[in-house]
Amino acid sequence: MTDTRERGGGGDGGWSPALALLWGTGRPVGRRGPRPTLTLDAIARAGVAVADAEGLAALTMQRTAAEVGVTKMALYRYVPGKDELVALMIEAAMGEPPRDAAPKDAWRPRLDAWARGLFERFVRHSWALEAIVGPRPMGPHELAWMEAAVAALAGCGLGGGERLDVAATLVGHVRAVAQQHAAVAGGGAEEAMAEGIAPLLAARREQFPALAEAFASAAHEGSGGDALDFGLARILDGVELLVNARREAAPGE
Amino acid sequence: MTDTRERGGGGDGGWSPALALLWGTGRPVGRRGPRPTLTLDAIARAGVAVADAEGLAALTMQRTAAEVGVTKMALYRYVPGKDELVALMIEAAMGEPPRDAAPKDAWRPRLDAWARGLFERFVRHSWALEAIVGPRPMGPHELAWMEAAVAALAGCGLGGGERLDVAATLVGHVRAVAQQHAAVAGGGAEEAMAEGIAPLLAARREQFPALAEAFASAAHEGSGGDALDFGLARILDGVELLVNARREAAPGE
DNA sequence: AGTTAATAGTGTCCGATAGACACAGTGTAC
DNA sequence: GTACACTGTGTCTATCGGACACTATTAACT
């Protein structure tokens, strides 16, 4: 799997089978043979259950098939390959973005809540962090999350490219912190780093003086909040500066 | 590989074999048998060459061994398993962080240059983006990169935890943008997203109105810079606000 | 110098995995 | 009622990571 083999792109107008699956451009309904015993959704949920419980490495076609009560090869009637299964699982794991609590709110609290919601998804399904690396087709849920972020920025004076960039930057931050979080079960950036490197650092503080000093200083500061909060505050502060600059430049708009 | 099996942690004081390899706590020198024909460094460089050229999926023990002219099993005399090989490859690919051009510079241009240097590494070895997900031991080069970022922030009034958080946030942003960059060869966040989803979006603009509008707007704005610049500027703006706040709070320090 | 034992590289084997393919049962359209 | 499309199964293959036994090499010890 995940090989660089050519997928689809043939006579289907450039639509890979994965995209067709994700976007529900499924088979026509008037079917002749026996009724399928499974649904794509059930398969995806079974895969998510396996990955949630035992990690992405434990996700095999066999294991997933057993979870839904069929043999491995039966799954290939529904998905062309494991990559597509994982794509469906990502969609299932992300789910719909939360309904915006107060759509008339200012952009900043909306983006803040949005980022925390996304973070919560990634923490709950930490295998997704491994699965979403590399080129892959985008599903409707994933796009809906982006839509929500960009929508929160509507009418605040930022250009279209800037709104997209803000969303992308936030996704990047959330993913990065979620990865640190997953590396050590429950911890911010400091704890995550400290867990693995504290003993190393202690023995080589002359080689990494600034790091050693920062860790020491952080230790008797008492950790003030976690890495998600910190980065989020910094990024949104930076966005706010830009928004204000744009508003000053075109106050009447 | 990448399984959640127990590694080391036995009588070696909690040092996994991967850590020993990365930190050069190698075997003692007075050895009895035949001279090794290989070095860890040569093996790592061979692996990097394979992954650079053909992607991480093409990296097998067999392929790497062939590259250095031995059989697959010979590699196991040097590395305990594939995970450790990949860890060495990451170290080799990251390399030493660039010497700080002007150590007496202000923190902001230093961090900016640092982030761009890191980005360049990730773009050159995009397989590393896949390889660094999940819990894994940290190597000296990786730590040296963190050291450089934290050192750039020394004496600017930020606490130890904050300095670490800034570095972690920047790494997260760089990695995220590098992933988008790798997804479509050569492109910022907008191009990266547009590549895959533009056709989808065109057909479903009523479902994703804000996204559609943002893309349309971005298209006739002419893309103003790339995603790395944008996010970097926003994050550093946010950090600058915090630095200024801290300086005001303790001006005499 | 001769012996011993630790080490290096090789060949062979095994279990797990993704996927191909042929086959038998099933249910709808004609 | 019959043909045919479709579903799930069993079998087979290629590939990969890794275990293990074996031979060749070379430094340490007597």
Side-chain angles (χ1 to χ4, degrees), chain A residues 213-214 217-218 221 230 234, chain B residues 106-108 111 149-164 166 239-253:
Chain A
E213 202 276 325
S217 166
E221 273 165 21
F230 180 87
R234 257 15 87 210
Chain B
W107 60 268
R108 181 156 182 167
L111 281 187
V150 173
L153 286 164
C156 70
L158 260 47
E162 290 172 335
R163 272 170 286 164
L164 293 170
V166 169
V239 172
E240 193 162 346
L241 278 179
L242 184 65
V243 167
N244 291 341
R246 288 277 184 284
R247 285 229 166 101
E248 284 176 22
E253 203 215 14

Side-chain angles (χ1 to χ4, degrees), chain A residues 100-116 147-154 236:
Chain A
D100 227 326
K104 285 299 163 197
D105 240 15
W107 59 267
R108 181 157 183 166
R110 289 174 68 182
L111 281 186
D112 191 87
W114 175 88
R116 290 172 195 284
E147 164 77 14
V150 172
L153 286 164
L236 294 181

Side-chain angles (χ1 to χ4, degrees), chain A residues 31 34 37 70-71 73-74 77-78:
Chain A
R31 314 268 294 298
T37 57
V70 296
T71 61
M73 290 315 292
R77 295 283 174 195
Y78 298 85

Side-chain angles (χ1 to χ4, degrees), chain A residues 105-195:
Chain A
D105 240 15
W107 59 267
R108 181 157 183 166
R110 289 174 68 182
L111 281 186
D112 191 87
W114 175 88
R116 290 172 195 284
L118 189 62
F119 180 75
E120 189 258 350
R121 301 287 175 133
F122 277 128
V123 167
R124 183 145 56 188
H125 308 288
S126 56
W127 52 267
L129 294 165
E130 309 174 43
I132 60 179
V133 293
R136 75 213 157 67
M138 248 183 160
H141 283 164
E142 199 172 350
L143 215 54
W145 277 91
M146 293 303 293
E147 164 77 14
V150 172
L153 286 164
C156 71
L158 260 47
E162 290 172 336
R163 273 170 284 165
L164 293 170
D165 279 344
V166 170
T169 302
L170 288 175
V171 174
H173 176 63
V174 166
R175 279 173 52 174
V177 178
Q179 281 188 20
Q180 295 162 3
H181 189 96
V184 295
E190 313 87 39
E191 290 84 3
M193 295 183 60
E195 182 80 12

Side-chain angles (χ1 to χ4, degrees), chain B residues 31-32 34 37 70-71 73-74 77-78:
Chain B
R31 316 270 294 298
R32 204 182 287 210
T37 58
V70 296
T71 61
M73 290 315 292
R77 296 281 173 193
Y78 298 85

